[in-house]
Amino acid sequence: MRVQENVSLKRLNSFGIDASARYFVEVADQEEVAAFVSEPHFADQPLLILGGGSNLLLRHNFEGVVLKVGFSGIELLLEDNDHYYLEVGAGENWHGLVMHCVANGYAGIENLSLIPGNVGAAPMQNIGAYGVELQDVFEKLEATEIRSGEYREFSIDECQFRYRDSVFKNELQGKYVITSVTLRLSKSAQLNTSYGAIEEELEAMNIGEVDINSISQAVINIRNSKLPDPDVLGNAGSFFKNPIISEEEFLQLRSEYSDVVSYPADTGVKIAAGWLIDQCGWKGKRIGNAGVHENHALVLANYGNATGDEIYKLSEEILNSVRTKFKITLEREVNVV
Ligand code: EPU
């Protein structure tokens, strides 16, 4: 196990924030995790587990230990009449996995093409896009408890998946290192094109028969057209969650704003946070080096050498103005450290 000190995290977070880690350790297999958890020096240090760094806002230098999870490998564990079971190392790139599945005819995650980040982070926030969420294909995951070094599996129920949420963002935050995720992919594709933008894009692509390949390509086209590439402009995708309000509050809102963008949700009505922020006039606005993207108001970006605190302060201003105008309190989707 190699321990580095005072390491810049600029290239390891998609916002491109130049913060540093007091200690930095990379683990690539179970033995290295075991060595890390049994090291007494780290026992009392604040810990940040880092995957692809694509859902992270570093407000300050991290005065503790950053643990980078580098487990690799995609293994077909098993197949039955209907499914392929694929065990994937937490350090694998998510989009690389999607491309592997599309190429091999493993159906189920094609709608999740081009989501930045690593596989180990996918269950943390139950990643989702275009009508599909990780939980739809999740079988189990393996993780090691930091305190005890104990290794265990988590079933879907134990992960407590919700909209952009799981047990790992709540009571188990920072307690486990996720080392692999097993997905259950289908042999016969259940094509999910119901999300408006996909059908339109498939039509524009003018292809004959729709399959997982064309859906993946449609999603890639849509994302490329409205979400900035983090390698070109630092960002973390949607900065806030889409808030869920009650039916009653929704009717009140719609009576004032007939064009409000909403989706049905289990516990009420989900409102497009991008629309709320846009209505407050934020699209394309900048405060110093931090700004709101000109194509999508839900995406905050680093337009120069923004500090994490600059981006955070911009998010505070947005939160306040949405609360004042709509009486809705947005919740951050990114992990603020
Ligand atoms: N809108 C505006 N102004 C804007 C942006 C959006 O009016 O500046 C309105 C538009 O009417 C648009 C609607 O909001 O149609 C919704 O926008 P979009 O289709 O881009 O979806 P979203 O609700 O903003 C969610 C996820 C995305 C995911 C897309 C597609 C959240 C917080 N975000 O975005 O996930 O890719 O749906 O399924 O749920 C991410 O988590 O980082 C992410 C990008």
Side-chain angles (χ1 to χ4, degrees):
M1 179 179 71
R2 190 159 80 100
V3 180
Q4 294 171 266
E5 293 190 49
N6 301 318
V7 171
S8 168
L9 300 173
K10 190 172 161 79
R11 289 173 187 284
L12 298 174
N13 71 100
S14 64
F15 262 122
I17 302 291
D18 194 6
S20 63
R22 178 70 187 89
Y23 299 103
F24 184 86
V25 178
E26 186 154 5
V27 285
D29 58 34
Q30 211 52 260
E31 261 169 43
E32 290 184 340
V33 175
F36 174 79
V37 298
S38 64
E39 174 54 66
H41 177 63
F42 294 134
D44 303 323
Q45 299 275 351
L47 174 70
L48 171 64
I49 300 168
L50 188 65
S54 58
N55 202 44
L56 171 70
L57 178 63
L58 293 159
R59 279 186 77 181
H60 312 286
N61 290 337
F62 192 74
E63 298 299 337
V65 52
V66 171
L67 185 70
K68 174 100 173 86
V69 183
F71 281 57
S72 61
I74 301 178
E75 191 189 343
L76 180 60
L77 283 186
L78 177 81
E79 64 175 279
D80 58 25
N81 286 343
D82 303 319
H83 296 110
Y84 300 103
Y85 296 84
L86 220 56
E87 186 182 59
V88 190
E92 287 286 339
N93 172 265
W94 175 265
H95 181 63
L97 169 67
V98 176
M99 292 295 92
H100 175 87
C101 290
V102 169
N104 285 285
Y106 306 160
I109 54 174
E110 53 283 355
N111 293 46
L112 305 181
S113 297
L114 219 57
I115 294 186
N118 288 357
V119 168
M124 306 277 291
Q125 54 154 350
N126 184 24
I127 57 169
Y130 305 105
V132 174
E133 287 183 311
L134 179 80
Q135 66 179 1
D136 301 331
V137 294
F138 181 89
E139 181 67 14
K140 62 174 185 183
L141 63 77
E142 292 177 356
T144 298
E145 191 184 21
I146 309 272
R147 196 176 40 84
S148 64
E150 218 169 88
Y151 151 93
R152 62 166 278 198
E153 290 187 354
F154 283 79
S155 67
I156 189 163
D157 288 344
E158 288 166 330
C159 290
Q160 296 175 26
F161 290 128
R162 304 275 181 277
Y163 165 59
R164 291 298 192 280
D165 206 20
S166 76
V167 71
F168 303 104
K169 267 178 103 173
N170 295 290
E171 60 260 41
L172 297 188
Q173 187 169 31
K175 296 206 161 54
Y176 280 86
V177 184
I178 295 172
T179 52
S180 77
V181 179
T182 301
L183 303 181
R184 186 189 58 256
L185 299 155
S186 298
K187 291 193 170 175
S188 56
Q190 299 286 318
L191 302 178
N192 191 335
T193 60
S194 56
Y195 197 95
I198 295 194
E199 301 227 313
E200 269 167 48
E201 182 58 33
L202 285 168
E203 260 169 53
M205 282 161 62
N206 202 14
I207 34 123
E209 204 179 322
V210 174
D211 59 11
I212 60 174
N213 231 302
S214 48
I215 293 190
S216 168
Q217 193 53 53
V219 169
I220 290 172
N221 295 349
I222 298 166
R223 291 188 77 102
N224 278 337
S225 73
K226 61 175 164 189
L227 296 171
D229 177 352
D231 287 339
V232 178
L233 181 70
N235 77 90
S238 300
F239 194 90
F240 298 99
K241 291 188 193 179
N242 287 330
I244 296 172
I245 61 176
S246 69
E247 189 76 32
E248 218 180 342
E249 288 165 322
F250 171 68
L251 293 175
Q252 174 66 31
L253 182 64
R254 199 179 55 184
S255 70
E256 285 177 59
Y257 302 91
S258 56
D259 60 340
V260 57
V261 181
S262 65
Y263 317 92
D266 291 345
T267 52
V269 182
K270 197 187 266 184
I271 308 295
W275 181 86
L276 293 168
I277 298 167
D278 200 355
Q279 292 293 305
C280 293
W282 280 104
K283 194 142 86 181
K285 285 250 171 80
R286 294 194 196 177
I287 301 183
N289 290 314
V292 179
H293 195 253
E294 47 273 32
N295 293 343
H296 205 305
L298 196 48
V299 178
L300 305 196
N302 176 358
Y303 284 94
N305 291 316
T307 62
D309 219 34
E310 268 182 293
I311 300 210
Y312 187 79
K313 287 197 174 117
L314 171 65
S315 74
E316 280 286 287
E317 300 242 356
I318 293 171
L319 247 160
N320 288 337
S321 66
V322 169
R323 192 159 36 209
T324 306
K325 190 172 167 78
F326 294 105
K327 302 194 179 48
I328 293 177
T329 300
L330 295 178
E331 213 183 301
R332 292 178 181 85
E333 195 210 283
V334 296
N335 182 15
V336 179
V337 174

